[in-house]
Amino acid sequence: MGAKPVSYSYLEHRQIYPRPGWVEHDPLEIAGNALRVAREALRAARADPGGLAAVGVTNQRETLVAWDRVTGLPLYNAIVWQDTRTQRIVDDLVARGLRGAVMEKTGLMPFTYFSATKAAWLLEQPRIREAAERGRLALGTIDSWLLWRLTGGRVHATDVTNASRTMLFNIHSLDWDDELLEALHIPREALPEVRPSAPLEPYGHAESLGGAPIHAVLGDQQAALFGQAAYEPGEAKNTYGTGCFLLVNTGHRPPKPGRILATLAYQLGGEPPVYAAEGSVAVAGAAIKWLRDRLGLFRDVAELDRLAEEAYRSGERGMGAYFVPAFSGLYAPYWDATARGALLGLTAAVGRRHIAYAVLEAIAQRTVDVLEAVEGDAGVHIGELRVDGGAAKSNILLQIQADAAGIPVLRPRNTETTSLGAALAAGLAAGLWEGLGELAGLWELDARFEPAATGEEREEARRAWLRAVEKARGWLEH
């Protein structure tokens, strides 16, 4: 059986910024949009929901929702992974000497990125604390929220990949960690049950989709790794979405966290879990959206690509300008919450096309940041990079990426590998495919981008980029 998309539907949801550094989403809007696009895709495919063999769920991982088990309604907006309001809670954890325990147990490090401190902050709010005291509080990442809604409130669960991004989950014992729960005053009973990504029995049934069985749940980046058929240790993918996420399969052993993160890649049925090394970049596509929506530098992504390609082909490149997309700090490998965005090296000769190029080069160089860290810390060699996500449709971005990294960049025919990975895992659990070998044979190449820059050009651009990063770091005093 093949695995080609037959229909597609897409909706954006609002980005809510109540204060500087605060990022929120409306959970009801997300749930409504998810159901709407599923129904639109089924209509476009002329498919009966009752005929679905399996449903897979994939989601933004660290974003956290709190809701009332009785009413089923959110108690607060979802707090998004980019949100930095919980820095004081992170600082307190470190001051209490828990940094080592967090890293050893969870594979992560104390940082506002993850769900744990968002849960602690929510529990400081009187309405949510009261719900917890009455035993009515449910806490979960977006997958848990969608499962709850899809099953009519019958299932409060998550999978190992999403749990591993909360900073509350022990990636060795595969359970919530009591020491960390106690340290942050988070009640275990509010958290979802943790299951394999594609369990032997379905999570539940989607009432609003004809009762279809939900056979798989994976966080978005792990779903993309699965969809890219990176099933062997050392195989890697990079997703260019809102942020930029490099994952490398490390087999049945988690890498040692430090500059990079250790995370669960997936777990199938009753099999041992597969781990991954991850390098996380907070801002990639979000920088392109910022240039379009906030600055009005271009009308659409096609215009941005045209401008950047003009600069690339002319040899002008960024004309000495470098952009550091540190809107909410710098994630791996710097882990600097005090960094902020910067546009450096400006002269009167710099114009729109040079800034367009600088932004795409920033995305590529941030990927090199994490590539180098993963290779150094996980002890793996990455010989090629499979890519996906919305920005991977840009030929000029991928050429800049190949030049910056010095390795081939491979784009598959289907760049929507996040949804593909969830579908493949669900189909595998439902018996539509026999094993990972069959799934690996479904991957198809669309385009291959070879490095065109010389070693000297690559090193010169790298040195200038690292100087720009140092200028952006430590910008905030607190």
Side-chain angles (χ1 to χ4, degrees), residues 143-197:
D143 60 303
S144 297
W145 168 241
L146 291 177
L147 280 172
W148 180 275
R149 301 287 296 188
L150 288 170
T151 61
R154 290 180 175 82
V155 177
H156 186 33
T158 189
D159 90 302
V160 292
T161 68
N162 281 291
S164 72
R165 309 300 298 181
T166 60
M167 212 174 79
L168 295 171
F169 185 70
N170 189 311
I171 62 172
H172 309 286
S173 66
L174 303 184
D175 193 13
W176 301 117
D177 189 86
D178 288 326
E179 180 187 7
L180 298 177
L181 293 177
E182 183 178 352
L184 289 164
H185 310 293
I186 297 170
R188 178 185 274 262
E189 56 272 18
L191 296 173
E193 175 192 356
V194 183
R195 302 183 189 176
S197 309

Side-chain angles (χ1 to χ4, degrees), residues 213-440:
I214 303 170
H215 271 290
V217 173
L218 295 101
D220 53 4
Q221 302 312 319
Q222 287 92 336
L225 184 77
F226 201 84
Q228 286 276 30
Y231 306 135
E232 297 295 328
E235 293 182 333
K237 72 88 197 174
N238 194 43
T239 296
Y240 303 91
T242 302
C244 203
F245 300 89
L246 175 79
L247 265 71
V248 183
N249 186 321
T250 62
H252 296 302
R253 290 189 177 182
K256 185 177 181 180
R259 294 185 301 164
I260 59 170
L261 306 174
T263 194
L264 268 296
Y266 56 85
Q267 185 182 20
L268 304 177
E271 297 178 10
V274 174
Y275 293 88
E278 177 168 338
S280 308
V281 174
V283 177
I288 296 172
K289 189 179 173 82
W290 174 75
L291 282 176
R292 183 193 69 189
D293 298 347
R294 297 278 177 167
L295 298 191
L297 194 67
F298 54 89
R299 293 183 301 275
D300 52 35
V301 174
E303 185 180 7
L304 170 72
D305 283 357
R306 179 180 58 77
L307 290 168
E309 187 155 11
E310 286 176 3
Y312 182 87
R313 301 301 174 196
S314 68
E316 295 176 349
R317 309 296 165 91
M319 194 64 83
Y322 284 84
F323 176 66
V324 183
F327 294 159
S328 53
L330 286 168
Y331 288 9
Y334 307 105
W335 300 109
D336 184 353
T338 67
R340 284 299 178 267
L343 184 58
L344 302 156
L346 295 179
T347 66
V350 172
R352 281 202 311 155
R353 62 182 179 178
H354 309 113
I355 294 174
Y357 177 89
V359 168
L360 296 187
E361 185 182 26
I363 295 171
Q365 289 289 0
R366 286 292 287 123
T367 297
V368 177
D369 287 345
V370 293
L371 271 170
E372 292 179 347
V374 166
E375 287 193 321
D377 294 4
V380 297
H381 171 67
I382 301 170
E384 63 180 30
L385 187 63
R386 295 187 175 189
V387 298
D388 52 65
K393 296 172 184 174
S394 168
N395 288 344
I396 185 61
L397 170 61
L398 299 190
Q399 185 58 59
I400 295 169
Q401 182 67 81
D403 289 352
I407 57 175
V409 173
L410 280 61
R411 180 175 64 204
R413 285 185 183 274
N414 184 355
T415 57
E416 295 294 340
T417 53
T418 298
S419 53
L420 174 63
L424 292 178
L428 187 64
L432 301 182
W433 294 285
E434 292 186 2
L436 295 179
E438 186 177 359
L439 296 186

Side-chain angles (χ1 to χ4, degrees), residues 10 14 29 47 94 121 175 193 218 309 363 469 471 476-477:
Y10 168 82
R14 288 180 302 139
E29 183 185 9
V94 174
W121 187 90
D175 193 13
E193 175 192 356
L218 295 101
E309 187 155 11
I363 295 171
V469 168
K471 299 295 184 182
L476 298 182
E477 293 182 343

